[in-house]
Amino acid sequence: MTSVSIEITGMGEIQANLYRKLQELQQNVQVAIEDTPNRSFDDSQRDCPVDKGDLKASGKKEIGVLEGSVSYSTDHNWFVELGTRKMHAQPFLGPNFQRDSMQLDRELKAMTV
């Protein structure tokens, strides 16, 4: 009777390389995610209309693991952003977020190609 045996060597090295690549990808994704709220915050601060300055001063950004946010916390921030029937909209956050999130999408897609 004839027998065949196969020996696979180097699996540890393959697994180590895959782990390094995964760590590198996760780090690159984290950097891209951190850049997005940083850009959005800076751009929204630049575009924020200033009357008394409380709206601009209330802006903050938070960055965590694979997440980030930009917010403004006055009682009138949405009225300024979206407008009212008596006041035209002065969008300072939405357009920047939209542009910067599209940039993040492009960066993440480029990492997966």
Side-chain angles (χ1 to χ4, degrees):
M1 181 167 192
T2 305
S3 67
V4 176
S5 67
I6 298 174
E7 183 179 338
I8 299 175
T9 59
M11 283 303 290
E13 186 178 331
I14 291 170
Q15 288 174 325
N17 285 337
L18 286 173
Y19 182 75
R20 277 193 295 278
K21 288 293 184 183
L22 179 60
Q23 294 298 99
E24 181 182 319
L25 178 61
Q26 188 172 14
Q27 183 178 11
N28 291 342
V29 168
Q30 180 66 34
V31 168
I33 288 174
E34 289 174 7
D35 287 348
T36 301
N38 284 328
R39 271 192 312 267
S40 289
F41 180 77
D42 292 345
D43 293 344
S44 68
Q45 286 283 291
R46 179 197 65 222
D47 296 343
C48 185
V50 177
D51 184 17
K52 297 178 184 175
D54 58 333
L55 175 59
K56 188 172 188 173
S58 76
K60 69 176 184 174
K61 62 182 168 185
E62 295 180 20
I63 298 173
V65 177
L66 300 178
E67 66 181 4
S69 66
V70 175
S71 62
Y72 286 81
S73 59
T74 64
D75 58 351
H76 61 283
N77 56 306
W78 287 113
F79 299 127
V80 175
E81 179 78 19
L82 302 174
T84 67
R85 65 185 174 95
K86 295 182 178 182
M87 181 181 81
H88 70 281
Q90 300 176 69
F92 60 97
L93 183 57
N96 291 310
F97 171 77
Q98 185 175 15
R99 184 189 63 247
D100 295 334
S101 62
M102 289 171 55
Q103 174 67 29
L104 174 62
D105 187 52
R106 287 189 296 272
E107 290 173 12
L108 294 176
K109 284 180 182 175
M111 288 180 202
T112 60
V113 174

